[in-house]
Amino acid sequence: MQGCIRNRKGKPSMKFKNDYVQRVYDSVAARNPNEPEFLQAVGEVLESLVPVVEKNPSIEKNAILERITEPERAIQFRVTWMDDQGGVHVNRGYRVQFNSAIGPYKGGLRLHPSVNLSIIKFLGFEQIFKNSLTTLPIGGGKGGSDFDPKGKSDTEIMRFCQSFMTELQRHIGADTDVPAGDIGTGAREIGYMYGQYKRLRNEFTGVLTGKGLSWGGSLARTEATGYGLCYLTAEMLRCMKNDSFAGKTVVISGSGNVAIYATEKATELGGKVVALSDSNGYIHDPDGIKLDVVKEIKEVRRGRIKEYVDAVPTATYHEGCSGIWTIPCDIALPSATQNEIDGASAEILVKNGCFCVAEGANMPSTPEAIAVYQKAGVLYAPAKAANAGGVATSALEMCQNSMRYSWTFEEVDAKLKEIMEGIFHACYDASKEYGEEGDLMAGANIAGFLKVCDAMLAQGVAY
Ligand code: NDP
Ligand code: 2IT
């Protein structure tokens, strides 16, 4: 990356080595001036595509970059719901249907107070390339709401989810757009949303993924993102460093779905996970995280990570979430949220000996952090490759729903592992073909793009 410069208004401007790419970026920046996360995601992808654009003139001729950076559809809606005291609340709901060239729109629903159009667009844009990398037929989309699930009762969550789905149902469908979980949306929320979809549409179809096992969910979907992250990381370590998780110290941020199952698999592969976090602070357990304690706190009680030290007094709790990156480790798996590692945190990681970063969260590293990894020669697996196991297994859930059949845990897990190893090799091979051997960020962007671009070219332009 040539650098992300802040201009006087605080908006990012970027310099590219290709005029067409520069024009597209400038136009996206001018049209979306208040969307910093979206521009960050677009800038990174466009930078990687410079050699692809130079090799394939049909991309410019057919305005592929202009088209791929503009959502096919962006829906914003009002979500009104009632709390347990009878108070009426209004939240904002979103679904961005970004690209359907290779399959129905597919991507999660984020419920978090920070949600806005910029965040949903960056996530939807990333999802296009991630879903393409899975090799499965899924387009890119994302949705969510600025609703804050923290501190809400079960019935409040249910009423919110029902109201959200009352509007969303008219825009989605098993062959149109298939939402799933993301931050704040897990099995409970998917259940309430699915119930409402079925009530309104009288259809039992695979319109959502992440469903419960007794009503169409796939075995291993809960574990998939965290497990997949470790499968890809293990393959990267093996192929690029003749190494493995065995004996390595691992730091994982977050303590939600991705972090928990990344901890489980990293431990199974011989690593020692010594830290987890939430948005308030982090725990450090030099003896290795006891995952049964974490699961009881997070999955059973919906508690906070600081409660870990009540059960494991030898561990320590520290306020503030960015301090987790000061813990010395060999491998870092950021699995909480976007931009959680900045340049300064990346410098500390590297100084303390971290040689491998693989992203469980979406866009957890700032451009400055990525530059630090690249300069230090850190093995770096970008989110759209490393966390694709969740959506890949969602696509396997869609497949099982279409067949009205289900595979065993072992069958789904084996397919997931094969897909994640395949993604590593696709990224590596693309990086080599385009003169950036070993740069998996460039490789992921290029390999993900090429399949979608090919489909867009084949499907023509509607006049
Ligand atoms: P969860 O809601 O299960 O957990 C999110 C975790 O991240 C919590 O520990 C939460 O802490 C922490 N977190 C959220 N926002 C912030 C913030 N602003 N600052 C610090 N910590 C924060 O979500 P998931 O585990 O599902 O998602 C984690 C990441 O993985 C997200 O980036 C998501 O997009 C990505 N992802 C998820 C997939 C999936 O299948 N679930 C698939 C691919 C990517 P707190 O409780 O304090 O909010
Ligand atoms: O970011 C992601 O890939 C997800 N939240 C999972 C999406 C999905 O459709 O399973």
Side-chain angles (χ1 to χ4, degrees):
M1 186 158 295
Q2 283 202 334
C4 179
I5 311 150
R6 303 264 149 200
N7 71 16
R8 272 179 305 151
K9 288 180 187 152
K11 291 170 198 152
S13 64
M14 287 182 69
K15 291 279 162 272
F16 298 87
K17 286 188 191 135
N18 175 281
D19 289 346
Y20 168 53
V21 172
Q22 186 73 54
R23 279 201 312 282
V24 172
Y25 181 83
D26 290 345
S27 153
V28 174
R31 295 173 84 182
N32 305 283
N34 301 313
E35 299 181 3
E37 293 86 1
F38 176 54
L39 292 180
Q40 184 181 332
V42 168
E44 182 209 286
V45 170
L46 291 184
E47 179 95 40
S48 302
L49 293 181
V50 167
V52 184
V53 164
E54 290 180 345
K55 202 166 159 185
N56 303 286
S58 58
I59 294 173
E60 180 171 358
K61 186 159 172 275
N62 290 278
I64 294 292
L65 296 187
E66 291 88 327
R67 288 155 64 191
I68 212 165
T69 52
E70 182 70 14
E72 289 176 16
R73 203 169 291 103
I75 302 144
Q76 184 190 304
F77 50 97
R78 183 179 65 196
V79 186
T80 310
W81 58 278
M82 194 178 278
D83 65 28
D84 291 341
Q85 286 71 45
V88 177
H89 301 265
V90 177
N91 282 101
R92 196 169 270 185
Y94 300 91
R95 188 71 184 166
V96 172
Q97 299 178 328
F98 225 115
N99 193 296
S100 61
I102 63 169
Y105 309 106
K106 181 83 196 87
L109 296 171
R110 178 173 291 192
L111 301 183
H112 193 272
S114 63
V115 162
N116 56 36
L117 187 60
S118 174
I119 288 177
I120 298 298
K121 279 177 68 179
F122 113 66
L123 290 163
F125 181 72
E126 290 280 290
Q127 203 83 44
I128 303 171
F129 308 98
K130 180 196 309 192
N131 293 4
S132 166
L133 286 170
T134 67
T135 71
L136 300 167
I138 39 178
K142 199 82 185 191
S145 173
D146 58 2
F147 173 75
D148 185 358
K150 281 205 189 82
K152 304 291 189 299
S153 70
D154 252 11
T155 46
E156 288 171 333
I157 297 283
M158 183 174 77
R159 284 193 293 273
F160 170 82
C161 289
Q162 290 176 339
S163 178
F164 183 80
M165 184 53 82
T166 299
E167 170 62 27
L168 188 66
Q169 58 88 21
R170 74 190 74 240
H171 307 291
I172 63 176
D175 293 317
T176 310
D177 182 356
V178 182
D182 193 78
I183 292 177
T185 306
R188 172 181 61 170
E189 291 73 20
I190 293 292
Y192 293 144
M193 290 182 195
Y194 194 73
Q196 185 71 350
Y197 183 87
K198 207 156 49 65
R199 241 166 249 127
L200 294 167
R201 301 283 287 258
N202 196 26
E203 277 172 11
F204 197 110
T205 59
V207 67
L208 296 175
T209 60
K211 300 186 288 301
L213 296 178
S214 59
W215 43 281
S218 174
L219 285 158
R221 174 63 187 89
T222 304
E223 294 82 357
T225 311
Y227 278 23
L229 170 66
C230 293
Y231 290 145
L232 184 134
T233 305
E235 187 69 355
M236 172 172 75
L237 288 167
R238 189 180 73 80
C239 297
M240 294 179 74
K241 225 175 155 52
N242 194 24
D243 208 337
S244 73
F245 270 102
K248 303 297 184 301
T249 299
V250 185
V251 164
I252 302 182
S253 60
S255 49
N257 173 264
V258 179
I260 288 174
Y261 291 96
T263 302
E264 186 161 291
K265 186 54 74 176
T267 307
E268 194 188 306
L269 295 176
K272 183 162 80 167
V273 180
V274 298
L276 288 174
S277 63
D278 61 23
S279 55
N280 297 115
Y282 65 96
I283 51 160
H284 184 198
D285 186 346
D287 299 331
I289 297 284
K290 281 94 191 139
L291 198 59
D292 51 340
V293 174
V294 176
K295 283 186 179 177
E296 206 272 323
I297 296 168
K298 298 300 297 184
E299 294 186 337
V300 180
R301 288 196 275 123
R302 295 181 185 277
R304 308 297 299 159
I305 200 63
K306 71 172 174 209
E307 295 163 36
Y308 183 88
V309 297
D310 301 337
V312 185
T314 49
T316 51
Y317 174 74
H318 308 263
E319 286 290 334
C321 42
S322 66
I324 193 171
W325 308 120
T326 65
I327 299 173
C329 65
D330 303 303
I331 300 171
L333 305 177
S335 301
T337 195
Q338 65 274 359
N339 292 329
E340 56 172 310
I341 305 186
D342 61 10
S345 293
E347 295 277 11
I348 297 170
L349 274 172
V350 169
K351 187 166 70 65
N352 287 338
C354 174
F355 71 90
C356 171
V357 178
E359 298 181 331
N362 285 304
M363 205 167 77
S365 307
T366 63
E368 294 76 16
I370 297 169
V372 171
Y373 309 150
Q374 288 175 334
K375 187 158 167 247
V378 167
L379 293 187
Y380 169 56
K384 56 174 76 69
N387 73 32
V391 75
T393 307
S394 278
L396 298 177
E397 181 172 329
M398 291 164 71
C399 183
Q400 293 169 84
N401 292 162
S402 298
M403 291 191 290
R404 306 242 184 261
Y405 187 69
S406 58
W407 292 313
T408 64
F409 186 95
E410 290 70 26
E411 284 172 307
V412 179
D413 189 39
K415 288 180 204 300
L416 169 65
K417 186 162 184 278
E418 192 185 328
I419 289 168
M420 297 312 295
E421 291 173 357
I423 292 175
F424 165 76
H425 288 284
C427 296
Y428 193 92
D429 293 350
S431 73
K432 192 172 175 187
E433 188 182 336
Y434 283 87
E436 307 278 355
E437 184 165 356
D439 179 344
L440 299 180
M441 178 176 79
N445 290 332
I446 293 169
F449 170 79
L450 285 173
K451 180 177 172 190
V452 179
C453 174
D454 191 53
M456 290 174 75
L457 288 170
Q459 290 168 21
V461 180
Y463 292 95

